Amino acid sequence: MLSPKTRRNITRIIPFGMIWFVFSLLYSVLEKSLLGNLDHYPSSGVKYDFAGNILAIPAGGLIMGLLTGILEISYFSKKFITDSFTRKILFKSVVYLVIFIVFLIVLSFVNALFAHDEQSFFKLSSPIWTFFTSYSVIGILLYISSIVVITQFYTEFSDSIGTGTLNNFFLGKYHHPLEEERIFMFVDMKSSTTIAENLGHVKYFQMLKEYFVDLSGAVIDHAGAIYQYAGDEMIISWKLKDGRNNNNSIECFFAMKSALEKQTEKYNSKFGFLPGFKAGAHYGKVTAGEIGSLKKEIIFTGDVLNTSARIQGLCNQLGADLLISEDFVKVLHLPASYAITSVGETQLKGRSRPMELFAVSQRIS
């Protein structure tokens, strides 16, 4: 069974392949409309076979797109995470163009190999040299450059609003409001006001950027989605089945704590302290849908969000790092490695009846 992180990466890579496939298919059709009934390429003299090209070119585009996606997700997304949009676009576009030129040379050799009976180096290289020194290659490279730029904009847009949110926009999943059962966890930095005063606003913001990046890996690993950032607060959401599966929602909290602790040296050297956080979690029905005209968003509405926020707000008062509602406890099946301790009933604002809350901690083995 694939891990949540692997499934997410596959979901992110596939669109790159599809973008390249569609544009390669479009190129094959445009090429046919330009060459008409010719049976060879005018610039190189290499045989032109539309039936073969309509299969080979999109297939090559799909491979190139998947390769681009793999590089993007496994390397570039981490390498340039703190760089500006323009710098990322320029550098990555140059790298992808170099890869494509190499790919195009190999493809041209293969095409020439099947087009000539005499397989000498001169016979194979002559039409390829003619092609690469003609104006035809300029048009192809411009076309490929547009695909590269489009994929880069897709990457940045996807990273900005979230892969799942972007896919939902394309599929129109939330064009009409839907009811869902979801878990929400409000994660809030401890003593953030004091920290901001001590660090100053600019350095505090730099710390927040690294803090959120370090927490995000655990969210991905445990099938969560970051719904919103609000100052120093991060709101994480799961569909109920995903959050319950392998206790992802609870495991996520402690995985985030572990991820921060591993970066103790970095935070101490850069900022003079290791940030901590507390969280409150609840589950229930929400209505999800698209809103907005000048700026569209997919939002969730329902009592579960307000309740989660208010539970988190009681962490300091009740001396707990993670508080969850009694409703949430009832749907969880936590192993003995976790201690679930009732902290009593509390009258939460906006609710007609008191709610029992529970502190969750890991048992020391």
Side-chain angles (χ1 to χ4, degrees):
M1 187 176 177
L2 297 176
S3 68
K5 184 176 182 178
T6 302
R7 288 201 303 270
R8 181 178 183 271
N9 285 343
I10 291 172
T11 302
R12 295 174 70 195
I13 289 168
I14 288 175
F16 287 90
M18 296 309 299
I19 290 170
W20 278 83
F21 177 82
V22 169
F23 276 92
S24 299
L25 184 62
L26 181 61
Y27 174 82
S28 301
V29 174
L30 290 173
E31 186 181 59
K32 175 61 178 176
S33 67
L34 291 173
L35 294 178
N37 294 322
L38 292 178
D39 60 356
H40 65 281
Y41 290 99
S43 59
S44 64
V46 173
K47 180 182 176 182
Y48 169 67
D49 177 21
F50 174 69
N53 283 8
I54 199 69
L55 296 175
I57 292 177
L62 178 64
I63 293 169
M64 184 66 191
L66 293 175
L67 175 62
T68 299
I70 291 169
L71 281 173
E72 190 67 46
I73 304 308
S74 62
Y75 180 71
F76 286 137
S77 61
K78 300 171 185 175
K79 178 70 175 176
F80 297 100
I81 195 166
T82 58
D83 289 332
S84 68
F85 174 78
T86 304
R87 185 164 185 257
K88 283 190 282 189
I89 289 286
L90 289 175
F91 183 85
K92 291 192 289 185
S93 294
V94 169
V95 172
Y96 289 139
L97 277 175
V98 170
I99 292 173
F100 175 76
I101 290 170
V102 173
F103 187 73
L104 190 61
I105 292 171
V106 172
L107 205 62
S108 299
F109 262 104
V110 172
N111 191 28
L113 183 66
F114 283 100
H116 293 82
D117 294 329
E118 185 183 341
Q119 297 177 9
S120 67
F121 179 79
F122 177 78
K123 272 283 187 180
L124 294 177
S125 60
S126 180
I128 294 170
W129 176 253
T130 304
F131 168 68
F132 275 95
T133 54
S134 70
Y135 284 106
S136 300
V137 75
I138 297 175
I140 291 173
L141 289 178
L142 286 174
Y143 188 79
I144 294 303
S145 297
S146 68
I147 303 176
V148 169
V149 171
I150 288 169
T151 58
Q152 292 308 299
F153 272 94
Y154 166 81
T155 302
E156 294 304 314
F157 190 46
S158 176
D159 288 345
S160 295
I161 71 171
T163 305
T165 303
L166 182 60
N167 292 340
N168 288 331
F169 271 125
F170 282 138
L171 297 173
K173 181 177 179 181
Y174 295 113
H175 187 65
H176 299 288
L178 293 176
E179 263 198 345
E180 296 180 342
E181 282 194 313
R182 280 188 169 267
I183 299 164
F184 283 88
M185 180 180 287
F186 280 62
V187 179
D188 187 58
M189 183 183 291
K190 294 179 178 179
S191 306
S192 57
T193 303
T194 303
I195 292 169
E197 289 175 353
N198 291 337
L199 290 180
H201 294 298
V202 174
K203 198 164 186 180
Y204 173 67
F205 189 83
Q206 292 172 345
M207 186 273 295
L208 270 185
K209 285 180 69 175
E210 297 202 26
Y211 167 78
F212 284 134
V213 167
D214 290 332
L215 295 186
S216 296
V219 178
I220 293 169
D221 290 341
H222 294 88
I226 297 172
Y227 171 48
Q228 283 181 349
Y229 294 105
D232 64 312
E233 188 172 66
M234 181 167 68
I235 305 172
I236 310 170
S237 177
W238 292 263
K239 288 184 178 178
L240 180 59
K241 66 173 183 178
D242 293 331
R244 290 178 61 191
N245 187 35
N246 297 320
N247 297 304
N248 274 324
S249 51
I250 302 300
E251 292 279 352
C252 178
F253 175 84
F254 292 100
M256 289 192 295
K257 287 181 73 71
S258 177
L260 274 188
E261 287 167 2
K262 289 177 182 177
Q263 299 296 329
T264 299
E265 186 177 341
K266 178 187 78 172
Y267 282 98
N268 283 338
S269 62
K270 283 187 175 183
F271 309 108
F273 74 102
L274 177 68
F277 59 88
K278 55 192 182 297
H282 181 48
Y283 100 96
K285 283 188 178 180
V286 293
T287 302
E290 292 180 24
I291 64 161
S293 175
L294 296 177
K295 179 180 181 292
K296 287 188 177 293
E297 275 190 76
I298 295 174
I299 70 161
F300 300 101
T301 61
D303 176 68
V304 59
L305 283 97
N306 294 328
T307 301
S308 300
R310 285 170 184 143
I311 291 172
Q312 183 277 124
L314 292 170
C315 285
N316 286 342
Q317 179 183 328
L318 298 175
D321 282 346
L322 175 59
L323 284 177
I324 63 176
S325 66
E326 60 179 310
D327 294 339
F328 193 18
V329 168
K330 290 174 183 176
V331 298
L332 289 173
H333 300 286
L334 293 177
S337 56
Y338 287 101
I340 305 175
T341 308
S342 174
V343 293
E345 290 190 338
T346 302
Q347 183 66 54
L348 297 174
K349 186 178 178 182
R351 295 185 67 90
S352 58
R353 293 182 300 172
M355 174 181 282
E356 188 175 9
L357 301 180
F358 293 82
V360 180
S361 59
Q362 288 180 311
R363 297 183 188 275
I364 300 172
S365 56

